[in-house]
Structures are given as C-alpha cells and as structure tokens.
Amino acid sequence: MSGFDLQINDQAYTVDAEESMPLLWVLRDLLGLTGTKFSCWIGLCGSCTVLVDDEPTRSCATSVSQVAGKSILTIEGLSEDASHPVQKAWLEERVSQCGYCQPGQILNAVALIKRNPNPSDADIDAVMGDVLCRCGTYQRIRTAIHRAAKEA
C-alpha cells in the first residue's frame, strides 16, 4: 500500500491504497463520497464519471495512482445546494427518472459546456452518447444542456 495525495472537490486528502485500486472505490469506500455510481465495471456506461483536470474520466477504470496530484471533481463537489446551472437545468427539465446515471451525465455536461459554451444538438449527442441512460431521457438531457449553456 502507498499513500496518495488527492485533490477532490477542492479538498486535500491522503489515502492509503493499493496503486491499482480504482478511483471509484477510493471515493466510495475510503472517503464516503457515494454520489459517484458503480455499474458496469469496465468504463462503458459512464455512471462512474468524474472530472479529472476538467476531463470526464471513468473512475471504475482509472486507478488511484493515475490521478494522484490532479484535480478531481465529483458530483458532491459541483454544488452543495443544486445551484450549479447544469443541476438547475436538470431539475427544471425533470431529466431524472431513476437517477442512477445522473452524476455521470451531469459531470459530462459540465465538461461539455466548459469546452463548448454553445453546443449544438450534434455536439451534445456526440459527447453525451458515452453515458448510458437506461430510462431513455436523452431528449430531456439535450434540452437541459441547452438551458444550462444559456444560463452559464
């Protein structure tokens, strides 16, 4: 085991973990940040997405050793009161049904709007298609992203 210095949601943490331990388990099991969800275990569904240096990253397929010293943002760090423009748009458009994929969807949308403040439908579809929504709320996701981009 090694000690890893992590910067998560603007807070410094030192965790003792095997260097191959997935970031997902560090977040959920060692730090109690359970907003990041576990689903496919192979990085395909996107439920476990966090932002590492502002880039969407699958935490189930990323080891803690790969993110040491980088800035990590989880859904808990986006805002404490759902006041972030993407979270507000998600609520206003009633995007969530089961909600399981939403942390990954929201953080993916945050990264998209940061890179492209006025995304087209094609831009949104290209980026958001990587995070699966089993409830099929893709139209509402697209509408919410347009709304958030206008408010951001």
Side-chain angles (χ1 to χ4, degrees), residues 45-60:
C45 74
S47 293
C48 69
T49 299
V50 297
L51 301 184
V52 176
D53 290 341
D54 294 326
E55 289 299 318
T57 303
R58 303 298 200 259
S59 64
C60 76

Side-chain angles (χ1 to χ4, degrees), residues 35-144:
T36 304
K37 303 303 180 197
F38 168 72
S39 186
C40 73
W41 189 242
I42 54 176
L44 293 178
C45 74
S47 293
C48 69
T49 299
V50 297
L51 301 184
V52 176
D53 290 341
D54 294 326
E55 289 299 318
T57 303
R58 303 298 200 259
S59 64
C60 76
T62 303
S63 69
V64 66
S65 63
Q66 292 174 283
V67 296
K70 297 182 180 181
S71 176
I72 302 163
L73 179 68
T74 70
I75 194 70
E76 291 94 343
L78 196 54
S79 75
E80 292 182 11
D81 59 358
S83 62
H84 187 280
V86 173
Q87 290 171 310
K88 286 172 45 180
W90 242 247
L91 292 170
E92 290 163 358
E93 295 299 329
R94 298 182 177 167
V95 171
S96 298
Q97 283 189 22
C98 82
Y100 200 81
C101 69
Q102 298 310 299
Q105 295 280 5
I106 289 170
L107 290 173
N108 221 33
V110 167
L112 167 63
I113 293 169
K114 188 168 189 170
R115 283 192 312 269
N116 181 351
N118 189 24
S120 67
D121 284 350
D123 296 330
I124 293 169
D125 293 347
V127 171
M128 299 305 291
D130 286 347
V131 183
L132 303 179
C133 175
R134 292 179 179 107
C135 299
T137 64
Y138 297 110
Q139 294 291 15
R140 285 186 268 169
I141 289 169
R142 185 188 299 149
T143 302

